[in-house]
Amino acid sequence: MESEANQDITHKSAAFSPSNGSQEQTIFSTFEPLVILEFKPKSKQAAQEWLTAKLQAPRTERGAELIVKTNTSENSKETILYIGATTERLLIGAEEMKIQKTYRDGSLRDISLTDLDNFNNSEDLDRFLTTAEKQRVILKGMESLRASEEETFIPGYPKNSLYPGKSIIKKYLSRNIVSNLFPLHEEEKLKRLGDEWYTMKNYFKTQPIEKIQEYFGVKIALYFSFLGIYSISLVPPAVIGVIYFFSPSSMYREATFAVFNLIWSTVFLEGWKRYCNSLCFKWGTVDSSVSFSHSFEEPRADYYGTMGRNLVTGNPEPVYPKWKRVLKFYLVTLPIISFCLTVAFFTMLAYFWAEAWMKKNAPQNLGIITTMNNLLPTIGYAVVIGILNNIYRTIAVKLNKYENHRLQSSYDNHLIVKLILFEFVNCFICLFYVAFYLRDRALLKTFLGTLLVTQQIVGQFQEAMVPFFFMQRRQKQVDKALRKAEGSAAVTKEVTESDQDVDKMYKKQAALEGMMDKWPGSNDEYLEMYIQFGYVYLFSSAFPLAALWAMLNNFIEVRSDSFKMCRVFQRPFVEKANSIGAWQPAFEVIGLISVITNCALIGMDPEVQKLLPSDMSAVNMVLIFVAAEHIVLAIKASIALLIPDVPKWVILQIAKQEYAAKQALRKQEADKRMVEAALKKKVVLDAFSRRSTVFRNDSQSAVKEPL
């Protein structure tokens, strides 16, 4: 099977290979570095040369078949690899990765090397793929380098063992042999995108989602789209909340506002699913369950195990027993998470102890000073919550990696569940304690408002002010980076003859972007929205202004996040996505829990209890409010059913595409049968012709033969 795959790679490469030396020289003279890899200073030369050779080796020899140019700066002794690829290699990789492009009929189809002429913009194959797609192909090629049975350690590092099937590049990164790996920005395109995205003149305009998707990929575009839609959805509850806040307090007002919020959250989440599917269809990543096609996800680059074969595709890949992962979860992950949840619980108890001590010992009747003293424990608790959340996120990531999940989707979903579990307890347990154990509605309102506002102020400082300081620091380091880039032109060792082919412009750009921070991923951003969503909807009847504060925060969040993407972070490798993943059901679960909490709050209101007969038992009261809760749940379920997840036009277009694909396949099979029939007919005619010729020759010989 592996030899057949190698033959297929060789055949595809031969179809694009240059016919003479001059063409090959042209390819190298127009070399464009797309990805930068920086080795840690003083890393072992053997490890550098081994990885470089792997990246350059043909794929038939288990290499990545990429173009690599090496540069070593004289002052820092840091080796930098400028990585690119030939157009042929990029197109072959794009076909294998099933990257979709626009076909001549306007539909999106997987790239096919045998049918390139029928794709739009295929006249210039060098520009057929976007820069982001090229970088994605290169990353895939680098991640495909996996250790064999014979390669048991990294050369120069005998203690850094390699498991069969372990991703070599990930091992280099985890052991800090490679200090940096990032794709280069497109400076002109990035500047135009930033001007349209976060500048003051376009501050209140809609985000350029299509351009974000083209430059940063589907996964990041979906995050910013969700953030924008969620922020807009907060406008109605924010307006109603302001009106209710300034109106006289009553049981009817709070109940009406809570019911509206509960129904509106369902409308928002269902509407988002429709919009998300529309976007994913346009971008060619619509859910496979919608298109009824079967795709087989490849293992994560970090996944390790003994080398085996995929039972479906037959391709070689690592195999790791499921029972080991289960044991790791129950014997290691679960106890650590339980300990973290216990810490969160006792932190909450410490807060209430500090609040009671402050009220007992702090001086009273001092006006604003007394008010601030009373708020100090809550503000301190909000800060401690943020610190514990950051610590736990680091623990959750390490535990998730330790479990060794095979698929990236499985890895992401398990990580999201871990993050949600702790943050839900850490952020909301105190609110549940006040609402349903202390039953202090006034304290709940004060506590909820203080927590929400304090966390948003701290969050905005991190989101907006910290990036500004980073930019100031970066400006001071520009001159140093430029000197470093100039110094890198003086090569201490000639690793390859093509070292000087790297343009000085790319050296300066690589030096500058190497100082930028890495994009940490969207999980932290979704988690921030998730907690905010809980503050807004879980206790709607207690704090009507929650939606207003959340909306104001999010309008700033959109621009600060876009600023960071363009000016603070390194360019991330693009990722495909067909939804926001496990975050969608996570938000829906919050919506369901909010029905229970709001109905319970309203049911425990003294004004509501006065409306009920005085001789009514506690059991009957509970049954009444459970019935009310089920009515609201039924309304939410009805709305979810009435709003289809996939728009009708998307279903229609998918059906058309599947029909066209089946028709094309039938035509292909019919043409194949016609060719086979013609060949068979020709064989029969040729055989008949040969037999006729032999018969005539035999007859003539018989006539000429004397009696």
Side-chain angles (χ1 to χ4, degrees), residues 226 230 233-234 261 264-266 268-269 428 452 526-540 550 554 586-592 594 636:
F226 180 79
Y230 170 51
S233 75
L234 289 172
N261 268 5
W264 183 250
S265 65
T266 303
F268 154 64
L269 291 173
F428 298 136
L452 176 62
Y526 279 118
L527 192 59
E528 183 180 341
M529 279 192 286
Y530 175 80
I531 298 301
Q532 183 195 88
F533 190 84
Y535 284 141
V536 172
Y537 290 104
L538 279 176
F539 302 95
S540 298
N554 289 355
F587 279 92
E588 291 174 353
V589 168
I590 283 284
L592 294 177
S594 64
K636 287 171 67 71

Side-chain angles (χ1 to χ4, degrees), residues 251 254-255 258 441 541 597-605 608 625:
M251 176 268 299
E254 294 171 354
R441 196 177 186 84
S541 58
T597 54
N598 281 281
C599 288
L601 278 176
I602 294 171
M604 291 188 303
D605 192 303
V608 175
F625 290 107

Side-chain angles (χ1 to χ4, degrees), residues 19-38:
S19 58
N20 53 55
S22 62
Q23 290 182 346
E24 187 174 0
Q25 182 63 34
T26 302
I27 292 174
F28 278 91
S29 63
T30 58
F31 169 69
E32 177 190 8
L34 298 170
V35 176
I36 302 299
L37 184 149
E38 297 179 0

